[in-house]
């Protein structure tokens, strides 16, 4: 049955995009959602659920067909991310990192050999990806990174530590940034494609979090890790534009994931407000609960509109829509957090019990306010674009 929200969300999608939503939603609700709480309780990485994605093309929504992918258009990619995130943060993150940060960078900056080597493996799910960007000294100020890449015969030696790294234990490909000259700050940043299974000098340790136990975030240490010359993505010292482009696409997919999370909060709050009674009536009949439902709906749809508009700009060939990416990411992540808070409030104390999902959604949504640029960074960037201080 189509809800009023479905009509809004689907209004100006093409028939193909509507079909994508239908197929992905059906898959996600039946094949992923019923198992997520169990993985969370067992603190187990959902490898078996990830394995369900490639046969349907859901592992490679941004990879062209010639490399085994299922690219249709950027809006469709956003729809996929939204529906996957609506059921599981981790599954959505697997696809988001692999497509936006890693495959997107290879497609744009990689050599033919790098495309042939990596993209089919990412598309068929045999190679999960991690992005090793954040360092103990900070994730926002990436130009100030301390990891180094030193030229040696036949390749490079990487040294440094990366923290908060999603999927590292299971990844067959690391997108790593390190500096070839620390004194040059942004000008020293260089991007590499690293095979962690074939590289000596890489150790992966636990990076325990209060949330997302099933994602098993890691810290990754590079100690004189040798990578061959063909691991270089782009040119030495020219990694900052690679990073910028990766994060730009990453912001689109994270924003779409936030819409999915915000929608999930509504999915859970609506039936609860209609079932739970107080003072002889359903709580959904109290004006203050209705206020929250109305705010949650408006926030979700406003964020969705911003994400679709950004996707359409990308589909129309706008090379970098940086301000719009920041706007979509900022609005959508704040919508996801506020919707989680409202959904918890509607659930009363049960919102924080293990019996209900909404409490978990709050910390998961909050984490999306950090990845691919914090809310403060995006606020600053939007203002700088508007003031003409920043150009891209
Ligand atoms: C669940 C989760 C998964 C993650 N997965 C990955 C991953 O796979 N790979 C990876 O590399 N990283 C990952 N991260 C890390 C994430 O990208 C960083 O947390 C983020 O970049 C912020 O860096 P930081 O935490 O070091 O905060 P900092 O950079 O230290 O910032 C601290 C605070 O200062 C603010 N601040 C910084 N600069 C400014 C400024 N100029 N103006 C105003 N305020 C400012 C920030 O907004 C923030 O509020 C993950 C994080 C989480 C929570």
């Amino acid at each position: 049955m189509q809800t009023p929200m479905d009509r809004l969300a689907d209004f100006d999608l093409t028939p193909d995009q509507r079909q994508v939503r239908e197929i992905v939603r059906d898959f996600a609700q039946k094949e992923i959602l019923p198992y997520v709480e169990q993985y969370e309780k067992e603190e187990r990485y959902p490898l078996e659920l990830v394995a369900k994605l490639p046969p349907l093309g859901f592992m490679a929504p941004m990879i062209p067909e010639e490399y085994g992918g299922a690219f249709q258009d950027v809006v469709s990619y956003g729809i996929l991310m939204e529906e996957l995130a609506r059921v599981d943060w981790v599954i959505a993150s697997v696809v988001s990192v692999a497509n936006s940060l890693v495959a997107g960078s290879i497609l744009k900056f990689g050599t033919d050999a790098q495309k042939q080597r990596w993209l089919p493996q990412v598309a068929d799910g045999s190679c999960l990806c991690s992005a090793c960007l954040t360092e103990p000294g900070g994730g926002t100020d990436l130009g100030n990174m301390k990891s180094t890449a030193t030229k040696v015969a036949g390749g490079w030696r990487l040294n440094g530590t990366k923290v908060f790294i999603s999927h590292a234990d299971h990844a067959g490909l690391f997108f790593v940034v390190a500096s070839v000259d620390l004194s040059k700050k942004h000008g020293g940043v260089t991007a590499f494609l690293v095979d962690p299974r074939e590289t000596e000098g890489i150790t992966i340790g636990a990076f325990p979090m209060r949330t997302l136990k099933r994602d098993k975030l890691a810290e990754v240490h590079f100690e004189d890790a040798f990578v061959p010359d063909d691991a270089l993505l782009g040119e030495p010292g020219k990694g900052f534009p690679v990073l910028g482009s990766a994060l730009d696409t990453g912001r689109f997919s994270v924003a779409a994931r936030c819409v999915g999370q915000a929608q999930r909060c509504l999915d859970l709050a609506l039936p609860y407000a209609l079932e739970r009674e107080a003072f002889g009536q359903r709580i959904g009949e109290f004006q203050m609960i209705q206020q929250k439902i109305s705010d949650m709906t408006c926030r979700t749809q406003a964020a969705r509109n911003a994400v679709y508009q950004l996707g359409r700009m990308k589909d129309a060939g706008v090379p970098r829509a940086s301000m719009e990416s920041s706007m979509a990411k900022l609005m959508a992540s704040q919508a996801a957090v506020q919707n989680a808070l409202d959904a918890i409030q509607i659930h009363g104390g049960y919102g924080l019990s293990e019996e209900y999902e909404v409490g978990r959604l709050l910390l998961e949504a909050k984490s999306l306010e950090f990845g691919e640029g914090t809310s403060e960074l995006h606020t600053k960037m939007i203002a700088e674009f508007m003031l003409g201080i920043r150009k891209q």
Side-chain angles (χ1 to χ4, degrees), residues 89 93 97 101 130-142 162-167 209 211-212 215 217 363-364 366-377 380:
W89 193 104
S93 170
V97 171
L101 297 179
S130 285
C132 301
L133 315 177
T134 306
E135 301 193 350
T140 306
D141 186 6
L142 284 172
K162 302 288 180 175
V163 289
F164 288 104
I165 307 307
S166 304
H167 320 301
M209 299 287 286
T211 181
L212 287 163
D215 190 10
L217 260 60
L363 283 183
E364 292 181 8
K366 190 66 196 164
S367 76
L368 294 172
E369 268 203 272
F370 302 120
E372 272 79 338
T374 63
S375 292
E376 288 77 8
L377 182 75
K380 171 175 143 35

Side-chain angles (χ1 to χ4, degrees), residues 100-115:
S100 290
L101 297 179
V102 184
S105 303
I106 297 174
L107 280 164
K108 199 158 175 193
F109 297 97
T111 61
D112 278 348
Q114 287 170 329
K115 290 176 193 167

Side-chain angles (χ1 to χ4, degrees), residues 219-259:
E219 54 180 50
V220 178
H221 305 276
F222 297 89
E223 283 167 63
D224 269 339
F226 174 82
V227 295
D229 280 326
D230 64 6
L232 188 67
L233 181 63
E235 291 174 43
K238 300 273 173 63
F240 216 70
V242 180
L243 195 52
S245 163
L247 290 173
D248 191 57
T249 321
R251 282 162 192 161
F252 171 75
S253 60
V254 171
R257 288 164 60 190
C258 293
V259 173

Side-chain angles (χ1 to χ4, degrees), residues 136-147:
T140 306
D141 186 6
L142 284 172
N144 199 28
M145 67 180 60
K146 300 289 179 257
S147 296

